[in-house]
Amino acid sequence: MEPRHWLYQARTRRYLFRLAGLILLGLLLSPLFVAMPQRLGEVESAGIYLLLGLLAPMLIILIARLLYSRLIPPPHVHD
Amino acid sequence: MFMIESLHPVLLLLLAAASTVWLRGWSRTAVTLLLASYALILVWQMPGGRSFEFVLGESWLALLALDYLARLFAILFTLLAVLTVLYGGGRSTYAEAGYGLTHAAAAVAVVLAGDWLTLIFAWLMLILTASLLVSVQPGRHAYAAARRLLFLHGIASVFLLIGVVGQVYTSGSVDLAVLVSDGDIGNWPGYFMLLAVLTAIAAPPLSAWFTDCCQELSASSLVWFSAFTGKAGVYLLLRFFPGFEWLLVVGLLMLVYGAVFALLSRNIARLLGYGFISSTGIIVMAVGLGNDAGLSGAAGFAFVHGLIFALMFMSAGVVMEYTRNSQLSGLGGLFQHMPLTTAYTLIAALSLLAMPLTAGYISQLLIIEAAFEPGSVWPGIVFLLAVATAVVHAGFYYPWRVFFGPARLPADDIAEAAFNQRVAMFVLAALCIVVGMAPCRLYQSLPYAVSCEPYTPGFVLTQLQLLFAAVLAAAWLLSYWQVPSADPVDFDRVYRHWWPRQWPVIRVRLVRGLKICGDICCRLLQQLARLWRHCLQRGRDLLRNYRSRK
């Protein structure tokens, strides 16, 4: 049977849903984090830090997941 | 003062290396520790400027030229030499200790070199000792890895040599000089040198040698190997290529490549090797920024990065030595058996993640501030993402996977690190915290003046947010992550698999081509000889006719 394109595979979909979920969570939580530094008078928009913190590992894990089958040789191939 | 000015620190490290031939056990550790510590004091207290100068032809060569940048790296290298000697103790073989100390001496010689000739000589010594350090490990795989390292760095060193000769020829001086002006490399030798430096810092696609060798090394050799070559490359970048704009791209590539391949690794030494490359990418990008704050941040983080990864590799060495296992899939729950090693690893991990009150925070904050400086927010955002990326390798994934989670090994076989190893790791962990709590000392040692106040509520809170969010996302997503069953295909595929497979075909074609060329040449020569004979005969006939007519 022909393997499905990676874009349509269940694991890709699952990771994309998690990505979207985390971004949503970040957006929901960011006002809480913006308020405190603003009160302290130091930073104007701090919610971006939360989003960036969420995004960085997610992007790397997503890239690694997509490259997994291409970069990991099958078990019978030895050096 | 007499002693300080008349002794070269490299000489002391070489003496320490030579002593390993005759001494054994703890006497060897004591003597080498003493000599390396004295080298550290020398570097710390030596007055700046050029010394140990002599004339060669019409040029003055300087074996020692000390400024802020050289002193910072020399202190780092001698400090790591002291701690690695302590860490290895009586466990490391005399060859490991000897080659390791010579490797450290070569790295110190590179940063203290005051002219191109001394630099190239020290660099060749650095590469040679790195390959010897790998080749003395047991097993044919280590020998093969050392051969590949020597091959790749041999080519890179030839490029460095061509660059140095070109630079000396075009500038007419052996004195070291910055090779970048207005964000670009001014002359062709600079590009040759850059290629060698990029190989040393393991920038892809010239990167696979580093992780290839890491997985073949023993506990103490791993620290010797990882601490010096890459950092010496970073020093050369800071010295000769500050502000070269393409370094931003190279750094970003290193960051993503290292992080992705760290996740795809199953061996802990390989994982940390890729993590090392990934976080070196931050330093390379900071060098590419080119402003004073960025260069100071790059130098500061290079120093701190050296401390953090020395501690990380020491922890990995302890894990491999006491569990006799280096595969991620077989490790887990080690905090019960190795509480101190776990604590030290966590300090290194938090420092890498730029947790406030650690050395990583005060140095990476400088880089982030420098990235936001020019006015555009995008470089700053990229650097913030880069800092958070560390969670997928040494910052979170490695300690979480190895020291926490379900135990996968029988408890009887595992013990805490030896006393000397614990002391070495404790010193590094303490430095990570002390430098972080008192940033002034590090800031005063940086090449450019720094006006950064790291402990303001805004900085601390935003950094905590970044850290919290990154760890949250990593903990969630990595819990579903399956450790691969094999090591990933890297760029070394080209010279490890593709080239050996293609070589027989290429050789046949090459032989056939040479044979055809030979045949063509033979036929050409035959035709030429025939023509020559014909011309000779014709000349004789003409001469005979001329004479008979006369």
Side-chain angles (χ1 to χ4, degrees), chain B residues 469-505:
Chain B
V471 170
L472 184 76
W476 185 18
L477 294 176
L478 289 175
S479 60
Y480 298 99
W481 185 258
Q482 189 188 356
V483 177
S485 56
D487 287 320
V489 176
D490 203 341
F491 291 106
D492 59 348
R493 208 70 170 172
V494 175
Y495 53 84
R496 288 182 68 178
H497 295 269
W498 182 84
W499 179 253
R501 281 180 194 166
Q502 296 299 317
W503 173 238
V505 180

Side-chain angles (χ1 to χ4, degrees), chain B residues 103 134 145 148-149 152-153 199-203 206-217 222-231 257 269-278 280 305 309 313 490 492 495:
Chain B
H103 191 52
V134 182
R148 287 192 290 272
L149 181 147
L152 199 66
H153 273 285
T199 311
I201 60 168
L206 305 165
S207 53
W209 64 271
F210 186 70
T211 45
D212 182 23
C213 292
C214 275
Q215 64 176 0
E216 305 297 339
L217 293 165
L222 190 58
V223 188
W224 283 121
F225 181 77
S226 61
F228 300 105
T229 317
K231 281 288 166 299
Y257 158 84
R270 260 184 106 92
L271 188 158
L272 288 182
Y274 283 122
F276 182 93
I277 294 171
S278 179
T280 303
H305 185 264
F309 269 89
F313 279 112
D490 203 341
D492 59 348
Y495 53 84

Side-chain angles (χ1 to χ4, degrees), chain A residues 15 18 22 33 37 40 42-43 46 49-50 52-58 60-61 63-65 67-68 71-73 77 79, chain B residues 259 261 264 381 384-385 388 391-392 457-458 461-462 465-466 469-470 476-477 480-482 484 486-489 496-497:
Chain A
Y15 271 88
R18 278 176 203 158
L22 278 174
F33 287 84
L40 292 166
E42 293 285 338
V43 177
Y49 288 84
L50 194 72
L52 291 175
L54 288 171
L55 263 178
M58 283 192 295
I60 296 295
I61 292 169
I63 296 170
R65 182 69 257 180
L67 293 174
Y68 194 98
L71 291 179
I72 303 298
V77 177
D79 286 344
Chain B
F261 275 73
L264 295 174
I381 287 177
L384 285 172
L385 283 170
V391 286
V392 298
L461 278 171
T462 49
Q465 281 180 55
L466 190 79
W476 185 18
L477 294 176
Y480 298 99
W481 185 258
Q482 189 188 356
D487 287 320
V489 176
R496 288 182 68 178
H497 295 269

Side-chain angles (χ1 to χ4, degrees), chain A:
Chain A
M1 192 179 151
E2 187 75 13
R4 298 175 75 182
H5 190 268
W6 62 266
L7 196 60
Y8 306 109
Q9 284 178 6
R11 64 181 177 199
T12 311
R13 212 166 43 236
R14 205 163 53 235
Y15 271 88
L16 285 173
F17 274 125
R18 278 176 203 158
L19 184 73
L22 278 174
I23 290 171
L24 194 65
L25 183 72
L27 282 171
L28 286 172
L29 287 177
S30 59
L32 297 175
F33 287 84
V34 174
M36 200 176 349
Q38 268 186 340
R39 212 175 302 137
L40 292 166
E42 293 285 338
V43 177
E44 287 178 1
S45 57
I48 187 79
Y49 288 84
L50 194 72
L51 284 177
L52 291 175
L54 288 171
L55 263 178
M58 283 192 295
L59 285 174
I60 296 295
I61 292 169
L62 195 67
I63 296 170
R65 182 69 257 180
L66 295 176
L67 293 174
Y68 194 98
S69 56
R70 288 161 204 271
L71 291 179
I72 303 298
H76 64 274
V77 177
H78 297 290
D79 286 344

Side-chain angles (χ1 to χ4, degrees), chain B residues 8-20 35 98 101-103 105-106 125 129:
Chain B
H8 198 297
V10 173
L11 185 70
L12 284 170
L13 290 172
L14 288 175
L15 269 177
S19 73
T20 59
L35 288 167
L101 279 161
T102 320
H103 191 52
M125 197 165 88
T129 47

